[in-house]
Structures are given as C-alpha cells and as structure tokens.
Coordinates of all heavy atoms in Angstrom, one line a residue:
G17 N -50.3 -7.1 9.3 CA -49.8 -8.3 8.7 C -49.8 -8.4 7.2 O -49.4 -9.4 6.6
R18 N -50.3 -7.4 6.5 CA -50.2 -7.4 5.1 C -49.1 -6.5 4.6 O -48.8 -5.5 5.1 CB -51.6 -6.8 4.5 CG -52.7 -7.7 4.9 CD -53.9 -7.7 4.0 NE -53.7 -7.1 2.7 CZ -53.7 -7.8 1.5 NH1 -53.9 -9.1 1.6 NH2 -53.7 -7.3 0.4
L19 N -48.4 -7.0 3.6 CA -47.3 -6.3 3.0 C -47.7 -5.6 1.7 O -48.6 -6.1 1.0 CB -46.2 -7.3 2.6 CG -45.5 -8.0 3.8 CD1 -44.6 -9.1 3.3 CD2 -44.7 -7.0 4.7
P20 N -47.1 -4.5 1.4 CA -47.5 -3.8 0.2 C -47.0 -4.7 -1.0 O -46.0 -5.5 -0.8 CB -46.7 -2.5 0.2 CG -45.7 -2.7 1.3 CD -46.2 -3.7 2.2
P21 N -47.6 -4.6 -2.2 CA -47.1 -5.4 -3.3 C -45.7 -5.1 -3.6 O -45.2 -4.0 -3.6 CB -48.0 -4.8 -4.5 CG -49.1 -4.1 -3.8 CD -48.7 -3.7 -2.5
G22 N -44.9 -6.2 -3.9 CA -43.5 -6.1 -4.2 C -42.6 -6.1 -3.0 O -41.4 -6.1 -3.1
A23 N -43.2 -6.0 -1.8 CA -42.3 -6.0 -0.6 C -41.8 -7.5 -0.3 O -42.5 -8.4 -0.6 CB -43.1 -5.6 0.6
L24 N -40.6 -7.5 0.2 CA -40.0 -8.8 0.5 C -40.5 -9.3 1.9 O -40.7 -8.6 2.8 CB -38.5 -8.7 0.6 CG -37.8 -8.3 -0.7 CD1 -36.3 -8.1 -0.4 CD2 -38.0 -9.3 -1.8
T25 N -40.7 -10.6 2.0 CA -41.0 -11.2 3.3 C -39.7 -11.2 4.1 O -38.6 -11.0 3.5 CB -41.5 -12.7 3.1 OG1 -40.4 -13.5 2.6 CG2 -42.7 -12.8 2.2
L26 N -39.8 -11.5 5.4 CA -38.6 -11.6 6.2 C -37.6 -12.6 5.7 O -36.4 -12.4 5.6 CB -39.0 -11.8 7.6 CG -37.8 -12.0 8.6 CD1 -37.0 -10.7 8.6 CD2 -38.3 -12.3 10.0
K27 N -38.1 -13.8 5.3 CA -37.3 -14.8 4.8 C -36.6 -14.4 3.5 O -35.4 -14.6 3.3 CB -38.1 -16.1 4.5 CG -37.4 -17.3 4.3 CD -38.3 -18.5 4.2 CE -37.6 -19.8 4.3 NZ -38.5 -21.0 4.3
Q28 N -37.3 -13.8 2.6 CA -36.7 -13.3 1.3 C -35.6 -12.2 1.6 O -34.6 -12.2 1.0 CB -37.8 -12.7 0.4 CG -38.7 -13.8 -0.2 CD -39.9 -13.1 -0.9 OE1 -40.3 -12.1 -0.5 NE2 -40.3 -13.8 -1.9
F29 N -35.9 -11.3 2.6 CA -35.0 -10.3 2.9 C -33.7 -10.8 3.5 O -32.6 -10.4 3.1 CB -35.6 -9.3 4.0 CG -34.7 -8.3 4.4 CD1 -34.5 -7.1 3.7 CD2 -34.1 -8.4 5.7 CE1 -33.6 -6.1 4.1 CE2 -33.2 -7.4 6.1 CZ -33.0 -6.3 5.4
L30 N -33.8 -11.8 4.4 CA -32.6 -12.4 5.0 C -31.8 -13.2 3.9 O -30.6 -13.2 3.9 CB -33.0 -13.4 6.1 CG -33.6 -12.7 7.3 CD1 -34.1 -13.7 8.3 CD2 -32.6 -11.7 7.9
R31 N -32.5 -13.9 3.0 CA -31.8 -14.6 1.9 C -31.1 -13.6 1.0 O -30.0 -13.8 0.6 CB -32.8 -15.4 1.1 CG -32.2 -16.4 0.2 CD -31.5 -17.5 0.9 NE -32.5 -18.4 1.6 CZ -32.1 -19.1 2.6 NH1 -30.9 -19.2 3.0 NH2 -33.0 -19.8 3.2
R32 N -31.7 -12.5 0.7 CA -31.1 -11.4 -0.1 C -29.8 -10.9 0.6 O -28.8 -10.7 -0.1 CB -32.1 -10.3 -0.3 CG -31.6 -9.2 -1.2 CD -32.6 -8.2 -1.5 NE -32.2 -7.2 -2.4 CZ -31.5 -6.1 -2.1 NH1 -31.2 -5.8 -0.9 NH2 -31.1 -5.2 -3.1
Q33 N -29.9 -10.7 1.9 CA -28.7 -10.3 2.6 C -27.6 -11.3 2.5 O -26.4 -10.9 2.4 CB -29.1 -10.0 4.1 CG -30.0 -8.8 4.3 CD -29.5 -7.6 3.6 OE1 -28.4 -7.1 3.8 NE2 -30.3 -7.0 2.7
Q34 N -27.9 -12.6 2.6 CA -26.9 -13.6 2.4 C -26.2 -13.5 1.1 O -25.0 -13.7 0.9 CB -27.5 -15.0 2.6 CG -27.8 -15.4 4.0 CD -28.4 -16.8 4.0 OE1 -29.4 -17.1 3.3 NE2 -27.8 -17.7 4.7
V35 N -27.0 -13.3 0.0 CA -26.5 -13.3 -1.3 C -25.6 -12.0 -1.5 O -24.5 -12.2 -2.0 CB -27.6 -13.2 -2.4 CG1 -27.1 -12.9 -3.8 CG2 -28.4 -14.5 -2.4
L36 N -26.0 -10.9 -1.0 CA -25.2 -9.7 -1.1 C -23.9 -9.8 -0.3 O -22.8 -9.4 -0.7 CB -26.0 -8.5 -0.6 CG -27.2 -8.1 -1.5 CD1 -28.0 -7.0 -0.8 CD2 -26.7 -7.6 -2.8
Q37 N -24.0 -10.5 0.9 CA -22.8 -10.7 1.7 C -21.8 -11.6 1.0 O -20.6 -11.3 0.9 CB -23.2 -11.3 3.0 CG -22.0 -11.6 4.0 CD -22.5 -12.2 5.3 OE1 -23.4 -13.0 5.3 NE2 -21.8 -11.8 6.3
L38 N -22.3 -12.7 0.3 CA -21.5 -13.5 -0.5 C -20.8 -12.8 -1.6 O -19.6 -12.9 -1.8 CB -22.3 -14.7 -1.0 CG -21.5 -15.7 -2.0 CD1 -20.3 -16.3 -1.3 CD2 -22.5 -16.7 -2.5
Y39 N -21.6 -12.0 -2.3 CA -21.0 -11.2 -3.4 C -19.9 -10.3 -2.9 O -18.8 -10.2 -3.6 CB -22.1 -10.4 -4.1 CG -21.7 -9.6 -5.3 CD1 -21.4 -10.3 -6.5 CD2 -21.7 -8.2 -5.3 CE1 -21.0 -9.6 -7.6 CE2 -21.4 -7.5 -6.5 CZ -21.0 -8.2 -7.6 OH -20.6 -7.5 -8.7
R40 N -20.1 -9.6 -1.8 CA -19.1 -8.7 -1.3 C -17.8 -9.5 -0.9 O -16.7 -9.0 -1.1 CB -19.6 -7.9 -0.1 CG -20.6 -6.8 -0.5 CD -20.9 -6.0 0.8 NE -22.3 -5.5 0.6 CZ -23.3 -6.0 1.3 NH1 -23.2 -6.9 2.2 NH2 -24.5 -5.5 1.1
K41 N -18.0 -10.6 -0.3 CA -16.9 -11.4 0.1 C -16.1 -11.9 -1.1 O -14.8 -11.9 -1.0 CB -17.3 -12.7 0.9 CG -17.7 -12.4 2.3 CD -18.2 -13.7 3.0 CE -18.6 -13.5 4.4 NZ -19.0 -14.7 5.1
I42 N -16.8 -12.3 -2.1 CA -16.1 -12.7 -3.4 C -15.3 -11.5 -3.9 O -14.1 -11.7 -4.3 CB -17.1 -13.2 -4.4 CG1 -17.6 -14.6 -3.9 CG2 -16.4 -13.4 -5.8 CD1 -18.8 -15.1 -4.8
L43 N -15.9 -10.3 -4.0 CA -15.2 -9.2 -4.6 C -13.9 -8.8 -3.7 O -12.9 -8.5 -4.2 CB -16.1 -8.0 -4.7 CG -17.2 -8.1 -5.8 CD1 -18.0 -6.8 -5.8 CD2 -16.6 -8.4 -7.1
R44 N -14.1 -8.9 -2.4 CA -12.9 -8.7 -1.5 C -11.8 -9.7 -1.7 O -10.6 -9.3 -1.7 CB -13.4 -8.7 0.0 CG -14.0 -7.4 0.4 CD -14.2 -7.4 1.9 NE -15.4 -6.6 2.2 CZ -16.6 -7.1 2.6 NH1 -16.7 -8.4 2.9 NH2 -17.6 -6.3 2.8
A45 N -12.2 -10.9 -1.9 CA -11.2 -12.0 -2.1 C -10.5 -11.7 -3.4 O -9.3 -12.0 -3.5 CB -11.8 -13.3 -2.0
L46 N -11.2 -11.3 -4.4 CA -10.6 -11.1 -5.7 C -9.5 -9.9 -5.7 O -8.7 -9.9 -6.6 CB -11.7 -10.8 -6.8 CG -12.6 -11.9 -7.1 CD1 -13.7 -11.5 -8.1 CD2 -11.8 -13.1 -7.6
R47 N -9.6 -9.1 -4.7 CA -8.6 -8.0 -4.6 C -7.2 -8.6 -4.4 O -6.2 -8.0 -4.7 CB -8.9 -7.1 -3.4 CG -10.1 -6.2 -3.6 CD -10.3 -5.4 -2.4 NE -11.6 -4.8 -2.4 CZ -12.2 -4.3 -1.3 NH1 -11.6 -4.3 -0.1 NH2 -13.4 -3.9 -1.3
E48 N -7.2 -9.8 -3.9 CA -5.9 -10.5 -3.6 C -5.3 -11.2 -4.8 O -4.1 -11.6 -4.7 CB -6.1 -11.5 -2.5 CG -6.7 -11.0 -1.2 CD -5.8 -9.9 -0.5 OE1 -4.6 -10.1 -0.5 OE2 -6.3 -8.9 -0.1
V49 N -6.0 -11.3 -5.9 CA -5.5 -11.9 -7.1 C -4.4 -11.1 -7.6 O -4.6 -9.9 -7.9 CB -6.6 -12.2 -8.1 CG1 -6.0 -12.7 -9.4 CG2 -7.6 -13.1 -7.6
P50 N -3.2 -11.6 -7.8 CA -2.0 -10.8 -8.1 C -2.1 -10.2 -9.6 O -1.7 -9.0 -9.8 CB -0.8 -11.7 -8.0 CG -1.3 -13.0 -7.9 CD -2.8 -13.0 -7.5
A51 N -2.5 -10.9 -10.5 CA -2.5 -10.5 -11.9 C -3.8 -9.7 -12.2 O -4.9 -10.2 -12.0 CB -2.4 -11.7 -12.9
E52 N -3.6 -8.5 -12.8 CA -4.8 -7.6 -13.1 C -5.7 -8.3 -14.1 O -6.9 -8.2 -13.9 CB -4.3 -6.3 -13.6 CG -5.4 -5.3 -14.0 CD -6.3 -5.0 -12.9 OE1 -5.9 -4.8 -11.8 OE2 -7.5 -4.8 -13.2
T53 N -5.2 -8.9 -15.1 CA -6.1 -9.6 -16.1 C -6.9 -10.7 -15.5 O -8.1 -10.8 -15.8 CB -5.3 -10.1 -17.3 OG1 -4.2 -11.0 -16.8 CG2 -4.6 -9.0 -18.1
D54 N -6.3 -11.5 -14.6 CA -7.0 -12.6 -13.9 C -8.0 -12.0 -13.0 O -9.2 -12.5 -12.9 CB -6.0 -13.4 -13.1 CG -5.1 -14.2 -14.0 OD1 -5.4 -14.4 -15.2 OD2 -4.1 -14.7 -13.5
R55 N -7.7 -10.9 -12.3 CA -8.6 -10.3 -11.4 C -9.8 -9.8 -12.1 O -11.0 -10.0 -11.7 CB -7.9 -9.1 -10.6 CG -8.6 -8.6 -9.5 CD -7.8 -7.6 -8.6 NE -6.9 -6.7 -9.3 CZ -5.6 -6.8 -9.2 NH1 -5.0 -7.7 -8.5 NH2 -4.8 -6.0 -9.9
Q56 N -9.6 -9.1 -13.2 CA -10.7 -8.6 -14.0 C -11.6 -9.7 -14.6 O -12.8 -9.6 -14.6 CB -10.1 -7.7 -15.2 CG -11.2 -7.0 -16.0 CD -12.0 -6.0 -15.1 OE1 -11.5 -5.3 -14.3 NE2 -13.3 -6.0 -15.2
Y57 N -10.9 -10.7 -15.1 CA -11.7 -11.9 -15.6 C -12.6 -12.5 -14.5 O -13.8 -12.7 -14.7 CB -10.7 -13.0 -16.1 CG -11.4 -14.2 -16.5 CD1 -12.1 -14.3 -17.7 CD2 -11.4 -15.3 -15.6 CE1 -12.8 -15.5 -18.0 CE2 -12.1 -16.5 -15.9 CZ -12.8 -16.6 -17.1 OH -13.5 -17.7 -17.4
L58 N -12.0 -12.7 -13.3 CA -12.8 -13.3 -12.2 C -13.9 -12.3 -11.8 O -15.0 -12.8 -11.4 CB -11.9 -13.7 -11.1 CG -11.0 -14.8 -11.4 CD1 -9.9 -15.0 -10.3 CD2 -11.7 -16.1 -11.6
R59 N -13.6 -11.1 -11.7 CA -14.6 -10.1 -11.3 C -15.8 -10.1 -12.3 O -17.0 -10.1 -11.9 CB -14.0 -8.7 -11.2 CG -14.9 -7.7 -10.6 CD -14.3 -6.3 -10.5 NE -13.0 -6.3 -9.8 CZ -11.8 -5.8 -10.3 NH1 -11.8 -5.3 -11.5 NH2 -10.7 -5.9 -9.6
D60 N -15.5 -10.1 -13.6 CA -16.5 -10.1 -14.6 C -17.3 -11.4 -14.5 O -18.5 -11.4 -14.7 CB -15.9 -10.0 -16.0 CG -15.4 -8.6 -16.3 OD1 -15.7 -7.7 -15.5 OD2 -14.6 -8.5 -17.2
W61 N -16.6 -12.6 -14.3 CA -17.3 -13.8 -14.1 C -18.3 -13.8 -13.0 O -19.4 -14.2 -13.1 CB -16.3 -15.0 -14.0 CG -16.9 -16.3 -13.6 CD1 -17.5 -17.1 -14.5 CD2 -17.0 -16.8 -12.3 NE1 -17.9 -18.2 -13.8 CE2 -17.7 -18.0 -12.4 CE3 -16.6 -16.4 -11.0 CZ2 -18.0 -18.8 -11.3 CZ3 -16.9 -17.2 -9.9 CH2 -17.6 -18.4 -10.1
A62 N -17.8 -13.3 -11.8 CA -18.7 -13.3 -10.6 C -19.9 -12.4 -10.9 O -21.0 -12.7 -10.6 CB -17.9 -12.8 -9.4

C-alpha cells in the first residue's frame, strides 16, 4: 500500500491520461487547419 516517492496515485495517473489524451486530440484537430501559418500558431499556442 505504500508508493515510492514521486509515484503517482491512481487518481493522478488517470487525470494525467486525460490531459495527454486532450493534448493529442487537439494536435490531431490542428492538422485540419488549412493555412500552415495558422496551424503553426495554434500548435505553438496549445
């Protein structure tokens, strides 16, 4: 029942997965932006 120092709890791990999933979805959606400059701006912003 004890975690090593720095280990994530299950709740933290699941929340981290949600954040990473959101980041990936945003990057995938940005592939659809037609203008390269807009796409790069939005990617940098995200």
